[in-house]
Amino acid sequence: MPQLPKGGHGSGGHTSEISCSVQTSTADESEALLLRKLPRTSRVTAVSAHLLLGNYALPDNCAGPARLSPDQAALLTPPPAEASVVSLEPADHPLFDLLSRDGRASHTELAAATGWSESTVRRRLAVLRQSGVRTLLVDIPPAALGFRTEARLWMAVPPSRLTVVASAMDDHPEVSLVAQTTGPTNLLAAVNCRNSLDLARYLTEWIASLDAIHTIETAPVIRTVQRAGALLPLER
C-alpha cells in the first residue's frame, strides 16, 4: 500500500462523516483497528474500509508544481542525492523514532535521544540527507496557498479503463492524490481548488471529459483535523 500519512483524517460529505488514511505494519494491527477498536467507539455507527492498491499521484509528486516558474521550482527542489550506499544501524533507531514524531526536533533533542554529541548528530543527518535516505516533506494546508476548497472524488471506472483514467487525472494540477481502491468504487482522487466555482468547473469540464467514469461521488472536505501523523517505526 502507498506510504500515506498515518492517521491523516478530515470531515467531509462521503457516506461517513469522517474519512481517514491509516497505515499498519501487520495484518493483526489492521484487524484490531477494524474489528475491535472502532466497533467499541460508541459514536462510530458505521465503518466502510477501502484498501489502497496503487497510486498514480501522491502529494510529493503531483502535477501542481508544474504551475511554478523554473525559478520557483528550483527553490523547492532539493539537491540530488549522492550515489552512495548507507546502511542503517541500530543506533539510528532513536534518531528516526524522534524525527517521525517531530520532524523539527533540534540537534540538542536528537543528541539526548541517541546519546550522541550534537556534532555527531549533524554529521549523521547530513550523510542520511545526501544519500537520499532522509528526505524532507513539507505538508502545507492548501488554504494557505489560496486553495480553499478541497474534495475527495470516489469514482467507479471499468477495470479495462482504470489505468487510462488514473493517468489522465495524474496530469491535472488540481489533483494531489490518485489511487486505486477496493470497495464500491475503485478510484480515489484528492482535489484542491481555489473555491467552489473552480471545483464545479473542474468537475464539469475536466472530469466530464473522462467518459469512462461511470459514477462519481464528490465529498467536500469541511475540516481537516490532522493532516499527517508519525510514520511507522523502523523494524527492529
Side-chain angles (χ1 to χ4, degrees):
M1 114 179 239
Q3 296 297 305
L4 298 179
K6 179 182 178 183
H9 51 91
S11 59
H14 190 42
T15 51
S16 59
E17 295 180 355
I18 297 176
S19 63
C20 62
S21 58
V22 178
Q23 187 180 178
T24 58
S25 58
T26 66
D28 289 342
E29 289 183 3
S30 179
E31 291 178 3
L33 174 64
L34 295 175
L35 302 181
R36 293 194 291 274
K37 294 181 180 179
L38 286 177
R40 292 176 182 173
T41 305
S42 60
R43 294 189 179 183
V44 176
T45 59
V47 176
S48 175
H50 301 254
L51 177 64
L52 295 184
L53 300 176
N55 66 81
Y56 294 80
L58 288 174
D60 60 346
N61 64 0
C62 62
R67 295 292 184 92
L68 301 176
S69 69
D71 289 341
Q72 290 172 325
L75 292 174
L76 299 175
T77 303
E82 297 178 356
S84 58
V85 177
V86 174
S87 298
L88 295 181
E89 305 293 338
D92 290 312
H93 290 157
L95 183 74
F96 280 99
D97 287 346
L98 178 54
L99 288 174
S100 73
R101 297 191 301 271
D102 182 4
R104 296 177 295 181
S106 67
H107 291 145
T108 301
E109 293 170 318
L110 293 171
T114 58
W116 300 342
S117 66
E118 290 189 34
S119 60
T120 300
V121 167
R122 290 191 184 92
R123 287 195 300 270
R124 186 57 175 168
L125 289 176
V127 169
L128 295 172
R129 180 74 181 87
Q130 292 168 1
S131 64
V133 172
R134 173 176 174 253
T135 59
L136 304 178
L137 177 60
V138 180
D139 194 353
I140 301 175
L145 302 177
F147 297 91
R148 302 185 181 281
T149 299
E150 296 182 64
R152 303 293 180 264
L153 309 183
W154 301 84
M155 296 159 284
V157 181
S160 61
R161 303 292 302 280
L162 186 59
T163 299
V164 174
V165 173
S167 297
M169 295 188 69
D170 186 10
D171 292 331
H172 296 177
E174 295 86 353
V175 175
S176 59
L177 167 69
V178 181
Q180 298 178 32
T181 73
T182 61
T185 58
N186 56 4
L187 193 63
L188 165 67
V191 176
N192 306 290
C193 297
R194 293 197 177 278
N195 50 50
S196 58
L197 292 178
D198 275 351
L199 175 60
R201 186 178 302 111
Y202 176 73
L203 294 173
T204 57
E205 296 179 5
W206 289 87
I207 294 298
S209 66
L210 301 173
D211 54 12
I213 298 176
H214 278 187
T215 62
I216 180 172
E217 183 172 355
T218 303
V221 177
I222 298 172
R223 179 190 175 199
T224 299
V225 180
Q226 180 176 312
R227 190 164 294 278
L231 297 176
L232 293 178
L234 292 174
E235 292 184 1
R236 302 299 183 183

